[in-house]
Amino acid sequence: TGDPYTPLAALTPDPGCPGDYDSNTEYEAGDTVSDNGVVYACTGAVQFCNLYAPDLKGVGGSYWTATASCD
């Protein structure tokens, strides 16, 4: 965990999910969001966490790190 390229199957399950990513929210370093059953933490430059949604394949993967899976 902690590596933006960690396979999703290797993520630690988390019983709850944080709120979904919202492009109108101002995120800070360490903030967590969920997207499609994956928990992401803002680990990049904060201004980019606010601009790019978390995903592992796009630009957002540079600023958000997958940390857990959730239901």
Side-chain angles (χ1 to χ4, degrees):
T1 61
D3 178 348
Y5 301 104
T6 300
L8 296 182
L11 295 174
T12 304
D14 189 331
C17 288
D20 291 337
Y21 174 82
D22 179 353
S23 62
N24 294 313
T25 298
E26 290 195 23
Y27 294 101
E28 298 181 9
D31 283 351
T32 58
V33 298
S34 63
D35 185 50
N36 293 319
V38 178
V39 178
Y40 294 91
C42 174
T43 55
V46 173
Q47 68 270 24
F48 294 115
C49 288
N50 295 326
L51 291 174
Y52 298 105
D55 62 53
L56 296 178
K57 297 176 185 167
V59 174
S62 299
Y63 309 107
W64 294 93
T65 300
T67 60
S69 60
C70 65
D71 297 328

